[in-house]
Amino acid sequence: MPGRRSGAAVALVLSALLIAGPADAAGDGHGGDGPGPAAAPVEPLPVAPRGLPVELVRTLQLLQDRIARGSTQAHLAQRQLLGHIEERLLAAAPETWTSPENVRAAVAFALGGGGPAVLRRMNEGSRVADGEAGLVLGAIAYLDGREREARAHLSRYDARAMGPGLAGQLALTQAALAVREAPRQAIELLDLARLLAPGTLVEEGALRREIFVLAQGGDARRFEALSIQYLRRFRRSVYAGNFRQRFAAALTRLDFGSEPARVVRLERMLAEIEPEGRRDLYLLVARAGLEQGRRETAIFAAERAAGLADPESRAAAQARLYRGAALIVADGRFEEGQEALRAIERDLLPEADATLLDAALSTAAQIRTPAEPAARRPEPAEGAGPRAVPTPASIARAQEAVARIDRLINGSDP
């Protein structure tokens, strides 16, 4: 029967998620040889039965919590489980949704990656439990990108009044809807989401997002504190790679050259990562520093990365590249940077960095090559209008190189 097969599938997922400790079948646990007195029977705890939507969504959340702890297998299995749960919920009888608990489970499923199909079916053909219709409509509007409508519906609900399956997810969604117009309120909601769903993928996502809201707002102290917390607790998350990319870009806003105390705080943050990961993050910071025109940041991070890399490795070559590219526009250090660039083995670099090396060497050559005097142009004939002259490709490339230098000079740390 389909129901039994679906239930078996859920049971298999649960068995993969939960690790049961071995039962001690003999003895009283204290090392005695005798059988000991008979134990009194244990009364089972009164547990109210849960609806199928609640059980299915709880299974999904257990899987997602493993994603936050770094399980790539759980990440791969998530899509299959989402499809299975959607199929079961779409087939649920209309009276299923007269229970507020089941409706909230369906909303949690939709906001947690399941999409709006189940909620649309509920909204069209079922009698949704009293007081829950706004949750359904708000979640559909959010998933459809209609933020104003989603805010109007979801702002009426207090995440703290929801059950544990939805509370953190709702606060996370409300924060996403508030972040553009009310970043301070979004931070409060992200704090709430972390408190309501500790140790879950919801907490991981809320912490990751809050760090970047704080970075944009310039709250360096909280940015550093929460970054340490993320790197300490969720550095193995499947989404940590995305975090490190954005984290590196945020770090380039810090003035490493003029405030040594920030260097100490940065090194304290990165001490939470193993040396190889720390090296890679310094390389990301150095590259982002180049792209954003912050030469002091690029030099600092590249030197730190070089100190953590094998001298003959690709990472060391990348560190020398980023440092050299920044040095050619640093006051009094052009020759040092140019020599560093010329000494790099191009074959060690990935393709994108090999292109960057070529551009840096070209830029260095243009810095040292005096501009040719412009040839005197003949006076236009009387009455002749202006004539558009196409820009040769070589001039366009030179203009881009000059613009790149200007970004480094004008955007550098004061």
Side-chain angles (χ1 to χ4, degrees), residues 314-391:
R314 168 180 286 192
Q318 290 176 291
R320 291 193 293 269
L321 167 62
Y322 302 153
R323 180 175 178 273
L327 285 176
I328 60 173
V329 292
D331 294 339
R333 304 187 73 179
F334 172 82
E335 288 78 8
E336 181 185 357
Q338 189 177 44
E339 288 303 313
L341 292 172
R342 287 173 174 170
I344 294 171
E345 294 184 39
R346 194 176 187 279
D347 292 342
L348 283 175
L349 298 171
E351 184 178 351
D353 283 339
T355 302
L356 176 60
L357 174 61
D358 293 339
L361 288 169
S362 174
T363 300
Q366 291 180 56
I367 292 174
R368 273 293 182 254
T369 302
E372 296 181 4
R376 183 180 179 82
R377 296 179 180 174
E379 294 293 330
E382 187 176 350
R387 186 165 59 91
V389 179
T391 302

Side-chain angles (χ1 to χ4, degrees), residues 89-342:
L89 296 184
L90 286 172
E95 57 268 20
T96 302
W97 311 118
T98 60
S99 163
E101 185 181 60
N102 289 340
V103 173
R104 294 178 183 186
V107 171
F109 169 74
L111 297 177
V118 173
L119 300 185
R120 292 192 202 283
R121 175 72 61 85
M122 291 166 52
N123 192 47
E124 293 168 359
S126 301
R127 180 177 172 273
V128 177
D130 294 340
E132 309 301 313
L135 271 177
V136 174
L137 293 173
I140 293 173
Y142 172 75
L143 294 169
D144 286 347
R146 293 178 277 117
E147 294 190 3
R148 186 184 299 275
E149 182 181 343
R151 275 196 300 272
H153 286 295
L154 296 182
S155 62
R156 295 183 288 140
Y157 293 90
D158 184 351
R160 291 167 293 188
M162 299 293 153
L166 178 60
Q169 189 69 62
L170 179 59
L172 188 62
T173 303
Q174 290 171 330
L177 291 169
V179 70
R180 292 183 186 177
E181 298 180 4
R184 189 176 297 277
Q185 181 189 3
I187 290 172
E188 293 174 356
L189 287 165
L190 289 168
D191 281 336
L192 179 60
R194 291 164 48 214
L195 289 171
L196 292 172
T200 67
L201 187 61
V202 167
E203 186 197 7
E204 188 271 351
L207 184 57
R208 179 160 35 93
R209 296 177 193 184
E210 186 172 355
I211 286 167
F212 300 120
V213 177
L214 292 169
Q216 291 175 355
D219 190 339
R221 192 168 298 279
R222 284 205 72 200
F223 167 80
E224 291 160 3
L226 294 189
S227 296
I228 289 175
Q229 187 176 148
Y230 185 92
L231 293 169
R232 183 176 293 165
R233 298 184 57 228
F234 294 111
R235 67 179 179 271
R236 302 188 189 282
S237 166
V238 170
Y239 302 112
N242 171 270
F243 169 81
R244 292 187 186 193
Q245 290 278 353
R246 297 183 63 193
F247 182 61
L251 286 175
T252 60
R253 299 189 181 96
L254 303 180
D255 181 3
F256 298 113
S258 64
E259 191 176 338
R262 282 194 169 176
V263 174
V264 174
R265 290 199 292 270
L266 172 64
E267 292 180 334
R268 187 171 65 244
M269 279 190 284
L270 300 193
E272 301 296 333
I273 311 175
E274 65 282 357
E276 183 178 345
R278 200 180 319 153
R279 177 204 67 202
D280 292 344
L281 192 48
Y282 275 126
L283 287 174
L284 287 172
V285 173
R287 180 72 189 243
L290 283 177
E291 292 171 351
Q292 296 183 21
R294 293 185 175 270
R295 66 184 182 220
E296 294 299 331
T297 297
I299 293 169
F300 162 82
E303 289 175 348
R304 287 293 194 277
L308 293 165
D310 185 313
E312 304 301 322
S313 67
R314 168 180 286 192
Q318 290 176 291
R320 291 193 293 269
L321 167 62
Y322 302 153
R323 180 175 178 273
L327 285 176
I328 60 173
V329 292
D331 294 339
R333 304 187 73 179
F334 172 82
E335 288 78 8
E336 181 185 357
Q338 189 177 44
E339 288 303 313
L341 292 172
R342 287 173 174 170

